[in-house]
Amino acid sequence: MPTAERVLLRPVTMGLLLQSLLLLLLLGCCLCPATAFPKGCYPSEEEGLKTFRCSNAQLTEVPKDIPNDTNKLYLDSNRIPFLPRDAFRDLPLLLELDLSHNAIASVESGAFRGLAEHLHSLDLSSNRLVSVSKDAFSNLKAKVNLSNNPWLCDCRLQELVRTVELAAGSSGGIVCDSSAQEEHVGKAFLQVIADTDLCNVYKKTTDIAMLVTMFGWFAMVISYLVYYVRQNQEDARRHLEYLKSLPSKQRRSEESSTISTVV
């Protein structure tokens, strides 16, 4: 190729290379946010709402890199074992949260902090919840699904159920897996508390236990006092008998001393 043509083509070649590099950089920047998401998670838009789906993604914790403008979050069918404090604090626009079909056995107080104003649907069904403090749902206005969990039916669950608003049709799925009263096992919890105030039963049981404890201490004190008095009386009797065996002058002196000691 003539030298003049090579000189003319060189700027064109350099320009094409620069354009290619620029295009690759732009594509890389566009793909960066997507690669930050956990495997199996992806953003989408459904009915005008920004959605983030992580269904069946083998997650063992709540992801950290959820877009903060998410309206609907699906974390169902994973292996998440518990919800820590402030797990969703960076999602102020969240409307729906699906945590069903996980292994959640513990919900820390403050786990849903920051969601009180906007969240209207929370699904915790089909997990491993046995007992949760009502404080974990403090100020939450969302309709909550608590069905299909191995609940311990006690005062704590009664307070929780009366604190949250249950999702329509989910109340029948809250069943006693265990209870202090054997006859409650296998029954729907709302049916149990319709007949029995578990918190009142707990209070009565606590009061009885306190009375029994107080009576036990009282009986111990009385027993000790009776033993102490009898022991002193026995010692005094023995000492008086001993004095009687002494000569009369020494005996009078010792008797006076013994009587004053006993008194």
Side-chain angles (χ1 to χ4, degrees), residues 72 91 93 215 221 246 255-256 258:
K72 298 170 72 174
L91 302 173
L93 302 180
F215 178 79
V221 171
L246 295 176
E255 283 178 352
S256 299
T258 300

Side-chain angles (χ1 to χ4, degrees), residues 19-37:
Q19 286 181 2
S20 299
L21 287 171
L22 183 60
L23 182 60
L24 286 172
L25 287 171
L26 289 171
L27 285 172
C29 290
C30 290
L31 292 173
C32 279
T35 56
F37 299 145

Side-chain angles (χ1 to χ4, degrees), residues 230-248:
R230 286 181 177 176
Q231 188 66 32
N232 277 359
Q233 287 177 340
E234 183 64 23
D235 289 343
R237 184 184 64 78
R238 288 176 182 174
H239 192 64
L240 287 172
E241 289 178 354
Y242 166 73
L243 292 176
K244 289 177 181 178
S245 65
L246 295 176
S248 58

Side-chain angles (χ1 to χ4, degrees), residues 160-178:
L160 172 61
V161 168
R162 289 178 176 175
T163 298
V164 302
E165 182 180 356
L166 298 177
S170 69
S171 60
I174 304 175
V175 177
C176 300
D177 187 72
S178 59

Side-chain angles (χ1 to χ4, degrees), residues 55-168:
S55 303
N56 199 22
Q58 305 300 310
L59 298 176
T60 56
E61 63 179 2
V62 177
K64 305 295 183 185
D65 301 311
I66 303 170
N68 57 14
D69 59 350
T70 298
N71 303 127
K72 298 170 72 174
L73 177 58
Y74 292 88
L75 298 173
D76 56 299
S77 303
N78 284 289
R79 295 179 294 176
I80 300 171
F82 76 103
L83 301 178
R85 183 187 300 270
D86 295 324
F88 308 97
R89 66 177 179 180
D90 296 324
L91 302 173
L93 302 180
L94 198 61
L95 301 174
E96 296 182 20
L97 176 57
D98 189 348
L99 290 159
S100 63
H101 296 90
N102 272 281
I104 300 170
S106 173
V107 180
E108 289 187 2
S109 179
F112 304 109
R113 187 160 50 189
L115 302 181
E117 294 300 321
H118 299 283
L119 192 71
H120 63 70
S121 177
L122 172 60
D123 193 345
L124 283 165
S125 63
S126 301
N127 277 283
R128 298 178 184 175
L129 296 171
V130 175
S131 183
V132 179
S133 170
K134 64 178 181 178
D135 296 335
F137 299 86
S138 180
N139 299 319
L140 205 62
K141 300 174 184 176
K143 294 180 180 179
V144 185
N145 188 343
L146 298 172
S147 61
N148 299 320
N149 282 281
W151 291 109
L152 166 63
C153 290
D154 60 1
C155 179
R156 203 177 192 198
L157 180 58
Q158 180 174 309
E159 289 179 338
L160 172 61
V161 168
R162 289 178 176 175
T163 298
V164 302
E165 182 180 356
L166 298 177

